[in-house]
Each structure stands twice: as structure tokens, then as C-alpha cells.
Amino acid sequence: MSSSVSPLAPKHVPDMPVIAGIRLATAEAGIRYKNRTDVLLAVMDKGTAVAGVFTKSKCPSAPVEWCRAKLKGGKARALVVNSGNANAFTGKTGRASTALTAKIAAKAVGCSEGEIFLASTGVIGEPLDATKFDGVLGRLAEAAAPGDYLAAAKAIMTTDTFPKVATATVKLGKAKVTINGMAKGAGMIAPDMATMLSFIFTDAPIAPAALQALLKAGVEDTFNAVTIDGDTSTSDTLLAFATGAAAEHGAPKISRASDPRLKAFVKAFNQVLANLAEQVARDGEGARKLVEITVEGAKTKASARKIAMSIANSPLVKTAIAGEDANWGRVVMAVGKAGEPADRDKLSISFNGIRVAKSGARDPSYDEAQVSEAMKAPEIAIKVSLGLGKGRDRVMTCDLTKEYVAINGDYRS
């Protein structure tokens, strides 16, 4: 966790409402960090539905494997998250650590181990001493209270410079339901499901299968449309929990994601995901510029996504932005290497609304001074028009600075 907050951090942190059926508590367990909280326990009421999406890495962490297996039950009573140690690439020791953590948590909460969900973030390859949770989780279960989502978000931070939270309130039937979310992540971010760690809570009465469908669809244009450095984490986990408490106030019980009564809820749910995803981009390690890349006129949306990601993950593009240089030649390079349909002579590129290239050449009205001034802004919008079809997509990223190298050069030391 950095002592210097990203200049791109949101200026306003929302007040996070209480959600019936969710209680939170944090503690210092000494996993890796000193003098800061590093463990979060979220306790859910009986009957809480759970859904999740996880990394597609072929080297997943032990907690990812644990959650995948337990997700089949569809119900959750507790979530345990630790920072400082990812419990990834830890072999049998890692699997034993997850089992012991779940056993300790289940005893503390009073439920089965199959209703315990786990997530870990931090250094890869270091054994996690789960005995440090013994006693800590018991105290947390007793202290857990409806509420402090900001403290919870702080406890799961690693190289993050600020806690990431988002909330939305919407009507479902006759009842008002709330959606609260938190996330952590600043580096090793190129999602292939969700991203890093993120947790969503709601009091809406949504069945596990419906919640799973909503979550899977929701990540595609939110978390899956963010990249910091092109590296997909071993630990990517996004879990959603629905307590169903709003049913007591008139919210209908939802069993299908296609239920028309969910329309407003889905919009709000996706807004929370999008808000958290953008905060991750704003907190990219060493970032000084938030970058939005839009590709239009592609053959398909999928093709536009691949081209946008090619641009967003290019170190040359990202360093040019860090240097406040509208180097469209690097954007052309990234388009060309993406392996998707493109026609050099139809290509147009703009930076912050100023067209710098048109029809495969520099724009006739190009003004170096105007563009240089635009590149000083903290938010940079790159737009690429391919002129081939109706496919369009958008991704978020950040610049690549010397600070990124410094942060990652001594991450373990």
C-alpha cells in the first residue's frame, strides 16, 4: 500500500449504506504488513446466494480453486480476505492453508466449511501461515457489524494507493435495494474474467443461478475492459453476494436473470462494476494519466476489443502518453500488430478530440502545439476509426511511468 495517493483518485468517496444481512470486520493479523489491517471478514445471514467469476490463468491460486469448488453450493455465510500473501504457487501447503482458514472461519461463524469463501492477494510463491487466523477470525466474527465498507476496502489493499468502493440504490418491485462493492488492484492487471479482487453485496432476493448469469455478463464491458500492464493475475476473483433481505420489504424473488423486473437492477449493478473497474485504472501502479481507448468502425465488437487492448497494452503507447506525446505512429503500430482486419488507408486517430491522423496519413490540419497542450490533461481519450464496419468497443488503461518500474522492481524486497 502506497503512502502517496494517486493523482487520479476520485475526488469524492461515496457514503456506503448498510445492507441487511451483511456484517464486516477487519484486523491486523501480521500476514506481511505491520501496523495496518490485512484481514477482512464479511459475515452473511443464512440463505445468502453467491456467484463468482475467476481468473483463467492456468496457474490459479489455492483460494481461487477453493472458491470454484464451493461455488457449486450456491450459498455463502462468510468471506475471508487477506492481503500481503496471494497463497499462489504454494502447492500442497497452499491447499492446506485454505482448508485450515475455512475450518477456522466456519467455527467462528457457525456454519459449514462449504459456505466459506476465501481470497488472498499479495506476493506469489510465499507459503501462507493460516495459523495466524486462529483467534483473529473468532474475534472478528464477534465484532462484525453492518457497515464500514471503506475500512474493509483498506484491509485488502496491496500496492493500491486508495480504497475502492462504489454503491447504487434502485427499486426492485416495491422495495428499495442496495448494491455495494469494493475492489483492490493496481498492478498485474489484464483481466480475463473479472479482475484482481472485487466483492459485491446486495440485499436483493436473487437466486444463485440468476446472480451468476448477471455477474458473468456484467464483467465483459467493465472489469474485462480494463488493463494496466497486460499481466493476468493468478488470483483474480470477483464474488457477488445477495442476502435476499429486501424480500421482507416487497422485493420479488428473482430466479431468472432474464426476468424483466430486473432491468433497473441490472443497470445499477453494472454501474457499480464499471465504477470499480475505472477506479482500478485510476490507481494503476505509478499512473499519472487515465486513458480511455475507443475503437470504432471495426468488423465486429470482438475485433474492436482486441485492437483496443493491443493499444492499451503497448508499452510504447503508454510511455508516449506518460511523456505527453501524441505519438500516433505507436497507435498505428498497435493496430497493425493486433492481427485483426484493418486498412491503413482508412485509418483515423484522435487524441482528446483532436484528429491527428486521417485516411492513413497525418491530418492536414494537424497543429503540434494544440495537441501537445491537450496531452497535458490528466485524462486522455484515444479514438481510432477503422472505417470497415459497425464494430465498436472501449477499454480503460493508464500510462506507464518510472514509478511503475520502481514499485515492481522491489515488490518482494
Side-chain angles (χ1 to χ4, degrees):
M1 181 170 63
S2 173
S3 59
S4 177
V5 177
S6 168
L8 303 172
K11 304 302 180 187
H12 171 71
V13 178
D15 292 327
M16 302 293 287
V18 166
I19 291 181
I22 303 291
R23 294 178 292 124
L24 306 169
T26 62
E28 297 179 23
I31 302 298
R32 179 169 182 247
Y33 306 115
K34 294 181 180 180
N35 302 317
R36 58 151 289 189
T37 55
D38 57 3
V39 177
L40 161 66
L41 175 67
V43 181
M44 277 76 78
D45 282 357
K46 291 181 180 179
T48 295
V50 62
V53 285
F54 309 94
T55 182
K56 292 182 181 178
S57 169
K58 299 301 181 183
C59 300
S61 68
V64 166
E65 291 185 319
W66 174 275
C67 288
R68 280 176 175 157
K70 306 310 175 187
L71 200 63
K72 298 173 184 177
K75 300 295 181 182
R77 287 296 313 285
L79 165 69
V80 181
V81 188
N82 75 269
S83 58
N85 186 313
N87 196 12
F89 203 67
T90 46
K92 293 181 179 179
T93 300
R95 291 189 285 276
S97 292
T98 58
L100 179 56
T101 304
K103 182 177 180 180
I104 295 170
K107 181 179 179 181
V109 174
C111 67
S112 71
E113 293 169 25
E115 295 175 297
I116 302 294
F117 287 80
L118 309 172
S120 299
T121 179
V123 173
I124 294 172
E126 294 290 333
L128 174 62
D129 182 4
T131 62
K132 291 187 175 182
F133 295 121
D134 200 5
V136 172
L137 294 182
R139 293 194 297 273
L140 288 180
E142 293 178 359
D148 198 339
Y149 287 86
L150 196 61
K154 287 179 179 178
I156 65 176
M157 291 164 59
T158 51
T159 59
D160 305 66
T161 71
F162 62 87
K164 302 164 182 65
V165 294
T167 185
T169 301
V170 68
K171 290 290 289 292
L172 181 59
K174 298 179 180 179
K176 181 178 72 173
V177 298
T178 300
I179 305 163
N180 284 351
M182 69 181 79
K184 66 80 49 186
M188 195 183 287
I189 295 169
D192 198 7
M193 41 49 71
T195 188
M196 308 70 52
L197 302 185
S198 186
F199 310 106
I200 311 297
F201 305 91
T202 182
D203 52 356
I206 303 178
L211 189 62
Q212 183 67 39
L214 293 181
L215 192 63
K216 185 176 180 181
V219 299
E220 286 309 312
D221 289 329
T222 57
F223 281 112
N224 271 358
V226 171
T227 180
I228 300 302
D229 45 27
D231 290 330
T232 296
S233 170
T234 59
S235 306
D236 287 351
T237 298
L238 171 55
L239 293 170
F241 303 93
T243 68
E248 298 180 5
H249 304 287
K253 295 183 178 180
I254 304 295
S255 60
R256 296 178 295 106
S258 59
D259 192 316
R261 294 173 293 181
L262 271 182
K263 186 176 180 179
F265 179 88
V266 171
K267 183 178 179 180
F269 185 81
N270 290 344
Q271 284 175 343
V272 169
L273 296 180
N275 187 315
L276 292 172
E278 181 174 315
Q279 288 188 57
V280 169
R282 287 181 175 274
D283 204 18
E285 290 171 341
R288 293 295 178 267
K289 307 277 190 183
L290 177 69
V291 185
E292 178 186 65
I293 299 169
T294 302
V295 174
E296 64 180 19
K299 287 284 189 180
T300 63
K301 175 181 169 65
S303 181
R305 169 66 61 89
K306 289 181 180 178
I307 293 171
M309 280 294 187
S310 179
I311 298 168
N313 284 324
S314 167
L316 288 175
V317 172
K318 292 160 76 72
T319 50
I321 294 170
E324 300 182 342
D325 178 13
N327 192 332
W328 68 86
R330 294 182 178 182
V331 176
V332 173
M333 172 277 300
V335 172
K337 75 170 186 176
E340 292 297 311
D343 185 332
R344 178 198 61 204
D345 297 332
K346 293 182 178 181
L347 191 63
S348 295
I349 300 167
S350 65
F351 287 83
N352 276 5
I354 302 171
R355 195 170 60 193
V356 297
K358 177 186 178 184
S359 302
R362 186 172 69 181
D363 193 282
S365 62
Y366 178 77
D367 183 333
E368 180 74 27
Q370 180 190 27
V371 178
S372 294
E373 185 63 29
M375 294 302 292
K376 294 178 182 179
E379 298 185 12
I380 304 296
I382 299 176
K383 184 176 180 180
V384 174
S385 299
L386 298 173
L388 300 178
K390 296 182 179 180
R392 185 183 187 279
D393 209 351
R394 163 189 170 275
V395 303
M396 302 294 292
T397 188
C398 60
D399 56 347
L400 179 58
T401 66
K402 294 178 181 178
E403 286 80 5
Y404 178 89
V405 177
I407 291 167
N408 287 284
D410 64 0
Y411 184 61
R412 290 183 69 251
S413 50

